[in-house]
Amino acid sequence: MPEMSLPRINELIIILYAFSVLFFFIDFIHNNRKANKIAFWLLSIVWLLQTIFLFYQMFETGRFPVLNISEGLYFYSWVLVTLSVVLNRFLKADFIIFFTNVLGFIMLSIHTFAPSQYESAAVSGQLISELLFIHITMAILSYGAFTLSFVFSILYLIQYNLLKKKKWGKQLIRIDDLAKLDHMSYVLNVIGVPMLLLSLILGMIWAYLKIPNFHWYDAKVTGSFMMLLVYGYYLYSRIVKEWHGKQVAYYNAAAFLILLINFFLFGSLSRFHIWDS
């Protein structure tokens, strides 16, 4: 294969793998069989592409490609994907499958974007820049999901207040019913949380590769993980504690304020500017 085609294939695998993890997460917390089927087929495509790439490496090198860290990471991720396909096909183990794929995604991301001794400096630099691009894109998409979720929560609180005061005007008619508003707010957070998680994984890899003396206690990093915990607790409260309605709408609104603080305040306090490549 041409020198630049291999990175393109690995980047395609990363994107497909990210969507697979997203749908596995939806199935994991919501027991959505349709999401599980989509996730399984995406994972199957990932496994097929990885297998083709693995055999291509074997053909090119004339040996089994596990003799350095980069090759070992790729084979490790392939093993995890293979196990996930088998488990999903024959066992009902959603918890194990989801977290196995998160680990597999981490290993494959490190293999794909870490500079390799077999790649030129130009290719390695481009891969790191593309890693940053994917990280930022996924982060912004997750922020978009959280923002829409916040809007639905605010509409829920407005609708709730109108109903409580028995104001049966045009405003009430133009806003959806409470159950739908509550559900849409929840669904958008279900989408946003795994996207934020995958974005943070890619961001950590980029930071270790690009930033000298990178520290975990950087304001931006701390704020991002705090966001993940806050929205993760939102899902925990909905699923385990069975929070619904006004209580969870207020919590979601407060979570969005933390998002804004992280984006504007913590971003300005960060020791590195995450938008630079």
Side-chain angles (χ1 to χ4, degrees), residues 152 155-156 159 175-185:
F152 278 109
L155 289 175
Y156 179 96
Q159 181 80 308
I175 303 176
D176 281 319
D177 62 90
L178 292 177
K180 186 175 181 180
L181 293 170
D182 184 56
H183 178 69
M184 288 304 301
S185 178

Side-chain angles (χ1 to χ4, degrees), residues 8 30 60 78 89 100 117 120 129 138 161 171 173 182 188 203 226-227 254:
R8 297 291 84 77
H30 210 50
E60 284 290 298
W78 180 84
R89 183 66 180 83
T100 299
Q117 59 180 324
S120 66
S129 295
M138 294 189 71
N161 185 62
Q171 295 89 348
I173 297 174
D182 184 56
L188 286 163
M226 183 172 66
M227 265 185 58

Side-chain angles (χ1 to χ4, degrees), residues 156 182 186 237-239 241-249:
Y156 179 96
D182 184 56
Y186 167 68
S237 299
R238 286 292 301 248
I239 298 167
K241 294 187 175 182
E242 298 183 347
W243 285 8
H244 293 280
K246 184 173 70 171
Q247 182 182 22
V248 77

Side-chain angles (χ1 to χ4, degrees), residues 51-122:
T51 302
I52 293 173
F53 186 77
L54 186 65
F55 277 98
Y56 171 77
Q57 286 185 310
M58 291 173 61
F59 176 78
E60 284 290 298
T61 60
R63 57 176 175 79
F64 198 72
V66 291
L67 297 185
N68 57 55
I69 294 177
S70 178
E71 292 176 349
L73 284 172
Y74 190 86
F75 184 66
Y76 183 20
S77 69
W78 180 84
V79 169
L80 293 177
V81 172
T82 303
L83 291 174
S84 296
V85 170
V86 173
L87 287 172
N88 190 78
R89 183 66 180 83
F90 296 104
L91 296 177
K92 182 69 169 66
D94 297 336
F95 183 88
I96 296 174
I97 292 171
F98 170 68
F99 285 101
T100 299
N101 278 295
V102 170
L103 289 174
F105 181 84
I106 294 172
M107 299 304 164
L108 185 59
S109 298
I110 294 173
H111 166 270
T112 301
F113 297 110
S116 171
Q117 59 180 324
Y118 302 110
E119 294 174 346
S120 66

Side-chain angles (χ1 to χ4, degrees), residues 229-254:
L229 289 174
V230 167
Y231 279 102
Y233 185 75
Y234 169 94
L235 296 181
Y236 171 80
S237 299
R238 286 292 301 248
I239 298 167
V240 179
K241 294 187 175 182
E242 298 183 347
W243 285 8
H244 293 280
K246 184 173 70 171
Q247 182 182 22
V248 77
Y250 276 122
Y251 181 90
N252 197 39

Side-chain angles (χ1 to χ4, degrees), residues 156-195:
Y156 179 96
L157 294 173
I158 293 173
Q159 181 80 308
Y160 180 88
N161 185 62
L162 291 173
L163 288 171
K164 188 175 181 180
K165 293 182 178 179
K166 297 182 179 180
K167 293 184 178 180
W168 317 104
K170 294 181 179 179
Q171 295 89 348
L172 184 65
I173 297 174
R174 296 180 64 181
I175 303 176
D176 281 319
D177 62 90
L178 292 177
K180 186 175 181 180
L181 293 170
D182 184 56
H183 178 69
M184 288 304 301
S185 178
Y186 167 68
V187 167
L188 286 163
N189 280 345
V190 168
I191 295 172
V193 168
M195 292 188 71

